[in-house]
């Protein structure tokens, strides 16, 4: 089973700052199997990035994904007020079929 | 507009059963794989189950295997989650989520969940 670790657990930043979120997998995975989601309180998750680096439809270009192997990164170049949320990485594997990381909360400093 | 609407949640006693439904609209339902994902109060996301477009391939998380059954009715554009032998730790918001079903030009699969329902709350308590 591939375990996902996200860091930091909480990131306290101000609007306009750059956010760098890490997702590490316990085993190397193909980049096409890594996705990122954003979730705001009381809402369903929203797909941000698939294939480790491709933005989903309608996602602003301030969001970018990178990485390979076991280290993946979600970067928000300049935080907007609506970006304060929890971010999850997700991987596709054998068993279980999908695994989510524990999440990184980006909150207001 | 793509929509996924879950229903069937509620309060159930430990050991009881519940059947969740997810009604889909706005896309060719029979062409897409569907998943159930849950989120315990104040916790992160946990994938629960997957069903292929035809319904022939099904997978479960170990935590629900043998207790939960996923199914779909392509004629009714709906996917279901039958939950038996419910435990307190099954308390969560249950989301229905569509797989993008995206393959690039070389046939490489890019799994991700592009549409989610609003969720339905299941509470297991005496």
């Amino acid at each position: 089973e591939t375990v996902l670790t996200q860091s930091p657990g909480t990131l306290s930043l101000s609007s306009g700052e750059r956010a760098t979120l890490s997702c590490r997998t316990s085993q190397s995975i193909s980049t096409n199997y890594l996705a990122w989601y954003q979730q705001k309180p009381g809402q369903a998750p929203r797909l941000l990035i698939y294939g480790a680096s491709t933005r989903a439809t309608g996602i602003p270009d301030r969001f970018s994904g990178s990485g390979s192997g076991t280290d993946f990164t979600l970067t928000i170049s300049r935080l907007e007020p609506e970006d304060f949320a929890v971010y999850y990485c997700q991987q596709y594997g054998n068993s279980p079929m999908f695994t989510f990381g524990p999440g990184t909360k980006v909150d207001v400093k | 507009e793509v929509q996924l609407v879950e229903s069937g949640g509620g309060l159930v006693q430990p050991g009881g059963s519940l059947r969740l439904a997810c009604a889909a609209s706005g896309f060719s339902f029979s062409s897409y794989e569907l998943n159930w994902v849950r989120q315990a109060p104040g916790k992160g996301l946990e994938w629960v189950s997957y069903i292929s477009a035809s319904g022939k391939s099904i997978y479960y998380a170990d935590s629900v295997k043998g207790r939960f059954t996923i199914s779909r009715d392509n004629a009714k554009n709906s996917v279901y989650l039958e939950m038996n032998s419910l435990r307190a730790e099954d308390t969560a918001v249950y989301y229905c989520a569509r797989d993008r079903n995206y393959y690039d030009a070389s046939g490489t699969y890019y799994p991700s969940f592009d549409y989610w329902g609003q969720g339905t709350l299941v509470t297991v308590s005496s």
Side-chain angles (χ1 to χ4, degrees):
Chain A
E1 175 182 349
T2 301
V3 177
L4 275 63
T5 303
Q6 290 188 243
S7 61
T10 302
L11 193 54
S12 297
L13 296 168
S14 302
S15 290
E17 290 192 293
R18 181 184 188 89
T20 302
L21 288 66
S22 172
C23 174
R24 289 188 172 173
T25 60
S26 59
Q27 302 173 50
S28 181
I29 65 170
S30 297
T31 56
N32 54 300
Y33 290 164
L34 196 286
W36 289 93
Y37 299 84
Q38 175 195 67
Q39 187 179 34
K40 297 178 182 178
Q43 295 185 17
R46 177 173 71 144
L47 175 65
L48 296 176
I49 301 285
Y50 64 90
S53 61
T54 305
R55 281 186 299 277
T57 303
I59 301 303
D61 59 8
R62 64 180 180 273
F63 291 92
S64 63
S66 63
S68 64
T70 60
D71 290 332
F72 299 89
T73 300
L74 175 69
T75 302
I76 310 171
S77 59
R78 287 176 54 87
L79 280 165
E80 297 288 340
E82 62 268 27
D83 299 337
F84 292 95
V86 180
Y87 294 84
Y88 296 95
C89 57
Q90 175 205 43
Q91 72 96 26
Y92 167 82
N94 285 328
S95 182
M97 192 173 191
F98 292 98
T99 307
F100 290 93
T104 290
K105 183 179 183 180
V106 178
D107 67 9
V108 179
K109 186 174 181 180
Chain B
E1 178 193 7
V2 171
Q3 282 197 317
L4 297 169
V5 180
E6 300 95 338
S7 61
L11 175 63
V12 61
Q13 292 188 339
S17 299
L18 214 53
R19 188 191 196 214
L20 306 183
C22 172
S25 60
F27 65 99
S28 179
F29 182 79
S30 61
S31 298
Y32 286 85
E33 301 149 3
L34 276 295
N35 294 267
W36 287 96
V37 177
R38 68 184 181 183
Q39 186 169 37
K43 303 297 184 183
L45 302 170
E46 179 188 15
W47 171 78
V48 172
S49 185
Y50 157 98
I51 188 166
S52 64
S54 66
K56 292 181 179 178
S57 293
I58 286 173
Y59 298 93
Y60 299 99
D62 286 346
S63 58
V64 306
K65 201 173 294 182
R67 301 187 299 122
F68 289 13
T69 302
I70 191 172
S71 62
R72 65 189 294 161
D73 185 338
N74 286 345
K76 294 184 177 180
N77 287 359
S78 294
V79 62
Y80 307 98
L81 188 67
E82 185 78 37
M83 305 185 295
N84 298 316
S85 303
L86 282 162
R87 307 166 180 166
E89 53 265 36
D90 295 318
T91 294
V93 173
Y94 284 74
Y95 295 102
C96 166
R98 187 185 85 164
D99 190 296
R100 285 182 68 244
N101 195 28
Y102 176 70
Y103 294 79
D104 66 11
S106 66
T108 301
Y109 174 48
Y110 288 76
S112 60
F113 301 165
D114 61 346
Y115 285 95
W116 298 63
Q118 84 290 349
T120 187
L121 176 62
V122 173
T123 302
V124 184
S125 175
S126 54

